[in-house]
Amino acid sequence: MATPHIEAKPGDFADTVLMPGDPLRAQFIAETFLEDVECVNRVRNMLGFTGTYQGRRISVMGSGMGIPSLSIYAKELITEYGVDRLVRVGSCGAVRDDVAVNDIVVGMGACTDSGVNRARFNGHDFAAIADFELTRHAVDAARERGTKVLVGNLFSADLFYTPDSEFFQTLKRHGILGVEMEAAGLYGVAAEFGARALTICTVSDHILKGEALDAQARQTGFAEMMAITLEGLLRDDQARQPS
């Protein structure tokens, strides 16, 4: 049954959904990496698609920017469409000296200045972490490809234009790998409603150094991130098959 935000019919979504922020990036992913693609959602232009990757049915749908937007779509995908794996694929900004533009970051955890996880956790701190098996399989896929990935903490910010630029130094001291706007919310929704989630990001800019990828470099880095994501999901499928 359709929701206020998704018009897809039951069965239109696969059990696995990739979630970039930009709906046009969702279309690009579907048309570039998947076969036999069908558009299953156009409500509010938050495009959603289902296709196959090496015979495996996979969906991709935009999440919009920020935790509130992503949380709506992730919750409805899980509770109304039976989705049980969600992977955010996006970009992040670096603050550490040893993290460079075009690096790929796997978000094992996600700190945040948002209050959404406290709201769902009776006012207490909630450790927003990725699913271990999804994380492990993505890292294994990267290693097999010979691609360096960084694994650790992200920071999911509520404000893109923060009034407290000095806070970036605090993030740096605490070892944050990348600053983005959705991962902590995704992990909280997945935990509450019984799904598995992961965030993989390409570092698109270095906040403190003022460096940024050009368009061509973004495209190359994004393609490698997608390869790691999709091959990691296939590894996860194989691991879950009964022996």
Side-chain angles (χ1 to χ4, degrees):
M1 160 176 263
T3 75
H5 312 98
I6 304 175
E7 64 186 350
K9 301 183 295 297
D12 278 354
F13 281 101
D15 61 4
T16 298
V17 178
L18 309 179
M19 299 192 77
D22 184 353
L24 292 180
R25 181 54 61 86
Q27 182 175 8
F28 173 81
I29 291 171
E31 293 176 349
T32 304
F33 298 98
L34 304 182
E35 298 179 342
D36 303 319
V37 173
E38 176 186 2
C39 183
V40 297
N41 187 68
R42 294 183 177 87
V43 175
R44 295 173 180 259
N45 288 322
M46 193 58 72
L47 302 174
F49 303 87
T50 297
T52 61
Y53 177 76
Q54 295 188 17
R56 210 283 185 203
R57 198 162 176 259
I58 290 178
S59 297
V60 53
M61 181 174 174
S63 70
M65 289 189 290
I67 288 174
S69 180
L70 177 138
S71 296
I72 291 171
Y73 294 110
K75 188 273 181 189
E76 292 181 358
L77 287 169
I78 296 166
T79 62
E80 307 305 316
Y81 291 96
V83 174
D84 64 12
R85 291 193 303 189
L86 302 99
V87 182
R88 164 165 154 67
V89 284
S91 60
C92 65
V95 291
R96 278 173 33 177
D97 293 337
D98 60 339
V99 181
V101 293
N102 216 31
D103 281 350
I104 296 173
V105 172
V106 177
M108 184 166 59
C111 312
T112 186
D113 55 5
S114 169
V116 294
N117 285 336
R118 284 193 172 195
R120 65 167 41 95
F121 206 55
N122 291 350
H124 305 297
D125 288 339
F126 174 79
I129 59 174
D131 179 80
F132 172 75
E133 295 297 332
L134 286 176
T135 304
R136 182 179 70 163
H137 293 137
V139 173
D140 287 347
R143 287 174 175 167
E144 185 170 294
R145 294 178 60 84
T147 300
K148 169 190 171 184
V149 293
L150 302 169
V151 184
N153 240 339
L154 298 169
F155 183 83
S156 301
D158 261 355
L159 295 177
F160 186 87
Y161 297 108
T162 177
D164 183 15
S165 59
E166 293 182 2
F167 184 56
F168 293 128
Q169 294 293 339
T170 301
L171 298 178
K172 178 180 177 180
R173 286 197 304 273
H174 285 76
I176 297 298
L177 291 174
V179 180
E180 48 84 70
M181 300 186 71
E182 290 85 22
L186 175 61
Y187 293 167
V189 170
E192 182 176 6
F193 296 105
R196 306 163 65 213
L198 177 64
T199 296
I200 304 179
C201 291
T202 299
V203 178
S204 59
D205 61 285
H206 198 291
I207 297 169
L208 297 180
K209 296 180 180 179
E211 301 170 351
L213 293 176
D214 61 27
Q216 182 59 45
R218 280 176 184 257
Q219 196 66 26
T220 302
F222 189 83
E224 185 60 22
M225 176 183 69
M226 286 306 307
I228 290 167
T229 299
L230 291 165
E231 291 175 23
L233 288 170
L234 294 183
R235 283 174 171 267
D236 191 64
D237 282 339
Q238 294 169 359
R240 298 173 75 187
Q241 291 177 354
S243 56

